[in-house]
């Protein structure tokens, strides 16, 4: 693939080629597995994440014949599959958020945080934020976290969830309002990931 940029060979092209040569689908996995893993780990914890990520890519591989090739990026599709699979783990997700609420330890950032003074100052707001996230209705939490933790645009989140853009905008607006109210004016922007939840 020398001389060909990654942008020129988009996900849709890889998926189309994988219909004839299944091994090509490994490129889609290579491009997106790390991001999907971080997103699922943050929501469910490490124990459940490996299974959900494996199921996500297995389901995507099996459904690749139905993929809409007019969509160059498979990100929303993959996040949608992962989000649907996580619905089986709602209690695990709420339990994970409650662990963060109690301990202040984020399963994604905890091992990478090098400055303990920053972690300590962020811990109280991280705990309250986790508790507030756990209290959100599932649909609101899904929309908000696809954008805040998954890095999807509102349109991509709508595609991932199979709902209209206005529905995602409304859910995120309501979720942010509820988080602000439940946090009682505390600014949860101690870390970049938390800042994007409530901005």
């Amino acid at each position: 693939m020398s001389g060909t940029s990654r942008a020129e060979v988009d996900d849709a092209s890889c998926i189309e080629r994988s219909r004839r040569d299944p091994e090509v689908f490994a490129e889609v996995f290579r491009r997106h597995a790390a991001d999907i893993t971080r997103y699922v780990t943050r929501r469910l914890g490490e124990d459940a994440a490996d299974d959900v990520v494996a199921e996500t890519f297995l389901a995507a591989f099996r459904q690749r014949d139905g993929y809409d090739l007019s969509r160059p990026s498979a990100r929303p599709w993959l996040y949608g599959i992962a989000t649907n699979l996580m619905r089986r783990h709602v209690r695990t997700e709420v339990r994970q958020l409650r662990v963060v609420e109690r301990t202040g330890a984020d399963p994604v950032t905890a091992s990478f945080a090098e400055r303990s003074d920053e972690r300590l100052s962020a811990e109280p707001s991280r705990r309250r934020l986790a508790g507030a996230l756990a209290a959100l209705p599932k649909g609101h939490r899904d929309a908000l976290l696809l954008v805040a933790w998954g890095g999807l645009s509102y349109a991509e989140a709508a595609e991932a969830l199979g709902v209209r853009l206005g529905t995602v905008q409304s859910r995120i607006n309501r979720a942010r309002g509820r988080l602000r109210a439940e946090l009682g004016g505390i600014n949860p922007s101690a870390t970049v990931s938390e800042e994007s939840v409530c901005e």
Side-chain angles (χ1 to χ4, degrees), residues 150-173:
L152 271 60
S153 68
Y154 281 35
E156 289 172 327
E159 183 183 333
L161 295 171
V163 298
R164 293 188 333 257
L165 176 61
T167 301
V168 166
Q169 292 168 328
S170 174
R171 287 177 182 177
I172 291 175
N173 187 43

Side-chain angles (χ1 to χ4, degrees), residues 7-34:
E8 291 171 7
V9 181
D10 58 27
D11 293 333
S13 298
C14 289
I15 292 169
E16 182 179 32
R17 285 184 14 236
S18 77
R19 292 172 180 173
R20 297 179 305 279
D21 182 4
E23 291 181 12
V24 174
F25 196 81
E27 176 64 16
V28 175
F29 177 84
R30 187 188 66 73
R31 290 177 182 182
H32 300 288

Side-chain angles (χ1 to χ4, degrees), residues 5-112:
S5 76
R6 183 172 164 178
E8 291 171 7
V9 181
D10 58 27
D11 293 333
S13 298
C14 289
I15 292 169
E16 182 179 32
R17 285 184 14 236
S18 77
R19 292 172 180 173
R20 297 179 305 279
D21 182 4
E23 291 181 12
V24 174
F25 196 81
E27 176 64 16
V28 175
F29 177 84
R30 187 188 66 73
R31 290 177 182 182
H32 300 288
D35 290 336
I36 298 288
T37 299
R38 276 190 294 277
Y39 174 70
V40 176
T41 299
R42 187 165 237 176
R43 291 194 65 179
L44 299 180
E46 289 182 35
D47 293 341
D50 288 341
D51 290 340
V52 171
V53 172
E55 290 175 48
T56 296
F57 283 95
L58 180 60
F61 180 78
R62 289 178 176 161
Q63 297 169 22
R64 72 191 189 283
D65 287 339
Y67 182 77
D68 180 356
L69 297 174
S70 70
R71 299 182 184 277
S73 174
R75 285 184 72 219
W77 179 59
L78 293 168
Y79 276 94
I81 293 170
T83 300
N84 285 333
L85 290 170
M86 283 190 291
R87 289 194 175 118
R88 291 188 267 168
H89 300 273
V90 172
R91 283 182 292 210
T92 303
E93 178 182 27
V94 171
R95 200 168 35 244
Q96 175 66 23
L97 288 166
R98 296 295 184 205
V99 166
V100 174
E101 180 182 25
R102 280 191 314 275
T103 67
D106 183 317
V108 172
T109 61
S111 60
F112 299 105

Side-chain angles (χ1 to χ4, degrees), residues 130-146:
L133 286 170
L136 287 176
K138 180 81 172 100
H140 291 72
R141 188 168 57 240
D142 284 344
L144 181 67
L145 296 182
L146 280 168

